[in-house]
Amino acid sequence: MRSVKLLCALLVMMLLLCLPAAYAEPESPAAESGGSEPVVRVGMYIRTHADTRRLSSVLTCDAGFEIGRSDGTNFLPMITVSSKRIVIVPLLNMQIDYDDEYAGAALGEGNFGAWSVKNGLYGGYYSARAAGDFAAVTSKGFESRFGGFSTEEEARAHDAGRGISSPAGDRMALIDADTQKMILTYEDRTKPLALRGAGGALVSLPMVSFSGSWYIFEYPGFFEFEANGGLLNMVNCVGLEEYTRCVMANEIGGDFTKETRRAFSILARTFALGKKHGRQGYDVCSRPDCCQCYYGVYRMGDENNEIVDSTRGLACFYKDEPIAVLYTGANGGASCSSVAAWGGDEVPYLTTVFLENDEIEESARWETTFTRRELYDHLSQRSVFSALSDMDISMRVLARDPYGSSYITTLSVSDGAGHVVEINNSENVRMATGFSSANFDIEYTQDLEVLTADGKVETRRVYGVLTAEGYKPFTGFDESYGGGEYGAAVAPDKVTVRGVGSGHGVGFSATGSEKLSLEGFDFRYILQFYFKGTEIKRLYQ
Ligand SMILES: [Zn+2]
């Protein structure tokens, strides 16, 4: 979505010269539900990029940490520690690389032993720790422990009669990464462990960005950890407004008009209310291609924060339910209907909307040209096309969005051996072909050497050939024509795919919103333009 930067800068300058009335600050009606700001539970996808589980996590905060429990939305404080870097692992023997800023760990006997010796219950964390090597937080209270041993034999040798504690993948160990000393083991299964920066400081942790590279991002709120089967589940609990600021910083940036950004802030907030991952124990995930980009405060700026404040508490509803939030950078002037994209029943506010004269920026256009061999190579490495065995590939568009957008809903791909693969729904078409969107046209051409009237040889690009039956345009690679002006039998040797936009094309379009806002329409109009029949409500002040 940041591809429209230059145009937007120009548009913003034009806007400043001629500020329409619609740009007045939005009014602040009383909260319609009288509620309070909810907490968003963000499932943190770090290592696998597919879920919240990981073997180890390292959190950094120069102010130190508060360690406590979580009731799902609130941090219940327990102790404050001065440790600046805390490694969290399930309570199992392992090798931890404390010097690695990502605190890589591997299961097995290593420098961290999970066996310990029990040393009695104490009234508080500090007294339990002072009586032994560290404290274990259990559902009964604070237990003093000696440890950590890698084997049962070692633990038994140190047992003074109070018993030993064995490794368990459903408990956790918190270790100071700098001193490599155990801070505590968390063995209370009644509530998840919670950590946050002391005094409200941000917490840093390594994240894999969408591009696959590692970054250290800073996060607000508190982190919740649960160990299960030897892996940690990690959730960041953050207020809805702060979550919206974080998403704005990386999903839309600062180059769009204020009304587009206001509209977007309401969508970003509404998305969280939809609780897409509710069944998995969190509301949304941090992964940009699944939910919304959540890189903490990275790239956060005052202007976008003020925009979020100006729409505080506002969210978009259809019949009292938060709408399914779908947005895209550009759709070419007509949004793809949800039926075209995924099939299923009509969603009344996700049918196609048309924006007249929506100028398609060059940056939103894409084009790929293949030779016949290249097209075969491109498609045949995708599992859905594994049935194709012959290089003579032909792609045909059989249907487009029934609501009138150009997104392709049925694509037929065949080869010279008679195999045919038919793809339905535009999102399947996009995924199967690997093209940026399913909003594309296909053109077949042949470059031919021809003899001109004055006897010169020239290369001409033809889009079809003349035959005895007249001119025939190329419609696919499996058709070739003999005779005609050029004498020899020809088959098209190039296919050019020209498309617009990237992604599904359903719902809000950022470039379309820019056009509307420059015509003087405000964020309310823009949202109701893209999501027909919906209502914007203020949930809290
Ligand atoms: Zn997700």
Side-chain angles (χ1 to χ4, degrees), residues 256-382:
F256 290 86
T257 62
K258 284 191 174 176
E259 289 310 295
T260 290
R261 284 185 279 162
R262 282 192 179 116
F264 187 81
S265 69
I266 293 169
L267 294 179
R269 191 181 287 116
T270 306
F271 190 101
L273 298 174
K275 298 185 189 293
K276 181 175 177 179
H277 292 289
R279 285 187 189 164
Q280 288 147 283
Y282 43 93
D283 300 328
V284 290
C285 78
S286 58
R287 183 172 152 170
D289 66 335
C290 174
C291 288
Q292 303 189 106
C293 185
Y294 185 62
Y295 294 163
V297 303
Y298 179 61
R299 289 188 175 145
M300 190 183 272
D302 291 342
E303 192 176 276
N304 267 357
N305 287 352
E306 283 162 21
I307 282 167
V308 173
D309 290 347
S310 77
T311 66
R312 181 180 167 81
L314 296 182
C316 203
F317 289 81
Y318 182 78
K319 293 187 173 169
D320 293 331
E321 291 290 328
I323 64 165
V325 173
L326 293 154
Y327 52 79
T328 193
N331 61 27
S335 59
C336 181
S337 69
S338 66
V339 172
W342 297 287
D345 295 335
E346 177 185 285
V347 180
Y349 59 86
L350 291 177
T351 56
T352 297
V353 295
F354 299 88
L355 186 59
E356 278 180 29
N357 304 321
D358 185 9
E359 287 166 24
I360 303 167
E361 281 181 74
E362 283 313 305
S363 60
R365 295 184 187 278
W366 49 268
E367 181 178 317
T368 319
T369 298
F370 300 93
T371 63
R372 157 203 286 247
R373 171 88 221 181
E374 286 165 349
L375 183 62
Y376 174 76
D377 289 346
H378 175 78
L379 295 178
S380 63
Q381 59 184 249
R382 297 172 174 274

